[in-house]
Amino acid sequence: MSADPDLDVLLDRLRPRSTREAFAEIEAARRAAESREPQRTIIPDPELPPLWPHPDSGLVRFPCALRCGWAHEEDVHEIDAEPVSVPLHAGAEELNRVLTEQAERRAAKMRARVKRAVREHFTQAHPGQEPPERDLW
C-alpha cells in the first residue's frame, strides 16, 4: 500500500493473475462479445497510411466499396488539431474522462464526414445505387 491510491490501483492491475482468473476474464469477454448486437455501417474498411516519413503518412483512405477508384481521405494529423484543456489539479480519472470525451467527439465528426462523402460519391458516380453496408464488430 502506497500513499498514492492511483498507484495502488495500477499495481493491482499489474499483479499476476492465476490461470483460473485469466480464463474467467477471457470467458466473460467472449460471452459479452457474443451477446452484443452487430452494428452496420456504409463506411468502407479503411486503408491505413504508410509510416512516417513517407509523404502520405497520416492519410487514411476510405475506398469505394465498388472498387471504382474513388477514395475519401482523412488526414489524421489534422484531426488532432483541437487543443486539450485539463485542469491542473486533475487526477488520472479526470484526465481519462477529458481525453475519452475528446476522442469520442473527434471520432463522431470523422464518421459523419466519411458517411457524407460516401453518400455524395454514390449519388454522383453510382446513381440509383445505395452504398453497401458492412458489419462492425
Side-chain angles (χ1 to χ4, degrees):
M1 203 90 192
S2 72
D4 186 355
D6 290 336
L7 178 60
D8 291 335
V9 170
L10 178 62
L11 290 174
D12 183 55
R13 286 185 190 163
L14 293 176
R15 81 170 167 76
R17 305 275 188 226
S18 71
T19 305
R20 186 179 305 270
E21 288 174 319
F23 182 72
E25 190 174 325
I26 291 168
E27 275 299 302
R30 185 187 60 77
R31 283 192 300 275
E34 285 177 350
S35 67
R36 192 175 57 218
E37 183 93 10
Q39 296 177 339
R40 311 243 339 132
T41 184
I42 64 167
I43 297 175
D45 281 326
E47 293 175 356
L48 299 179
L51 297 175
W52 189 86
H54 191 279
D56 289 338
S57 69
L59 290 178
V60 178
R61 295 173 43 94
F62 295 89
C64 177
L66 301 181
R67 308 226 184 272
C68 69
W70 174 88
H72 173 74
E73 292 182 346
E74 286 284 324
D75 185 349
V76 296
H77 300 300
E78 197 173 282
I79 292 172
D80 284 335
E82 180 183 339
V84 178
S85 178
V86 180
L88 290 175
H89 65 280
E93 288 181 15
E94 176 72 4
L95 180 61
N96 182 47
R97 184 190 62 75
V98 168
L99 293 175
T100 300
E101 287 175 359
Q102 183 192 33
E104 288 171 353
R105 281 193 309 274
R106 285 193 328 244
K109 288 177 185 177
M110 186 195 71
R111 282 191 304 271
R113 282 193 308 269
V114 174
K115 283 181 182 179
R116 187 172 43 253
V118 168
R119 289 197 188 286
E120 288 174 3
H121 167 70
F122 269 79
T123 300
Q124 294 172 2
H126 311 291
Q129 187 168 2
E130 287 293 314
E133 291 186 340
R134 66 179 181 90
D135 287 335
L136 287 177
W137 292 99

